[in-house]
Amino acid sequence: MARISEPLIVGRVIGDVLDSFTPSIKMSVTYNTKQVCNGHELFPSTVTAKPRVEIQGGDMRSFFTLIMTDPDVPGPSDPYLREHLHWIVTDIPGTTDATFGKEMVNYEIPRPNIGIHRFVFVLFKQKRRQSVNPPPSRDHFNTRTFAAENDLGLPVAAVFFNAQRETAARRR
């Protein structure tokens, strides 16, 4: 499983957002028909609606928390506002998808202004249901701190995509 986290290391997701971990659950994130693959670019116009997030490898007694964050705010060369929170879903049953969970922080459309931003989906296994508290703000969010405060431990899965501002010419 070590090779699975390699793109997360190369993309600096491990380091900037997460500590090193061993993926133990299969998670797929899909916008319409486009599956999110580590480091691939998606246009902001294709990610305006919530993605479908499917979890495989859990059981009906397992519950998960999904976090979507942008660690490159306002821009990747000087991300002094790191991280910006885009979405949190908690209490997702282990054999379903995020639509069965509780949306704690509503989905916010990615709108990168400067440079290429990484949008990271992180999945944590909860120790029990209804044990996650909402963060105080979307701004200056910290995935590590949030996980520690809610006793989530290390992630069980993560994937990220890149996006940059679309010009009128790129939308064609």
Side-chain angles (χ1 to χ4, degrees):
M1 283 275 213
R3 295 184 61 131
I4 292 174
S5 61
E6 213 167 271
L8 298 172
I9 296 167
V10 172
R12 296 185 340 271
V13 170
I14 290 179
D16 288 351
V17 181
L18 305 170
D19 293 325
S20 188
F21 73 99
T22 302
S24 58
I25 295 287
K26 188 172 178 351
M27 171 178 70
S28 72
V29 179
T30 311
Y31 284 96
N32 293 322
T33 59
K34 292 199 178 288
Q35 182 161 357
V36 174
C37 296
N38 281 322
H40 289 208
E41 183 172 2
L42 296 177
F43 294 120
S45 58
T46 64
V47 297
T48 56
K50 281 185 246 188
R52 179 171 174 85
V53 180
E54 295 180 81
I55 300 166
Q56 299 163 355
D59 57 52
M60 286 310 289
R61 293 182 308 275
S62 307
F63 291 92
F64 296 89
T65 292
L66 175 74
I67 295 172
M68 179 186 177
T69 181
D70 175 358
D72 299 315
V73 179
S77 59
D78 185 19
Y80 63 89
L81 296 175
R82 171 179 295 162
E83 301 164 39
H84 183 77
L85 179 62
H86 281 267
W87 196 29
I88 293 182
V89 183
T90 64
D91 298 331
I92 305 167
T95 55
T96 63
D97 62 68
T99 59
F100 291 92
K102 177 181 152 204
E103 192 172 55
M104 182 173 282
V105 175
N106 295 340
Y107 182 78
E108 182 180 278
I109 299 168
R111 288 192 179 95
N113 279 329
I114 306 163
I116 299 170
H117 288 238
R118 296 165 293 167
F119 292 90
V120 182
F121 293 90
V122 186
L123 189 68
F124 292 95
K125 186 173 183 180
Q126 295 173 211
K127 301 244 187 304
R128 61 191 179 287
R129 270 184 92 184
Q130 300 175 344
S131 60
V132 179
N133 295 311
S137 167
R138 288 183 186 263
D139 298 319
H140 299 287
F141 182 79
N142 186 299
T143 301
R144 285 183 186 98
T145 302
F146 183 80
E149 288 171 350
N150 288 284
D151 196 23
L152 295 172
L154 288 173
V156 294
V159 66
F160 78 101
F161 70 90
N162 295 322
Q164 59 186 312
R165 185 175 180 176
E166 286 180 82
T167 61
R170 288 188 72 191
R171 284 195 195 115
R172 287 187 207 148

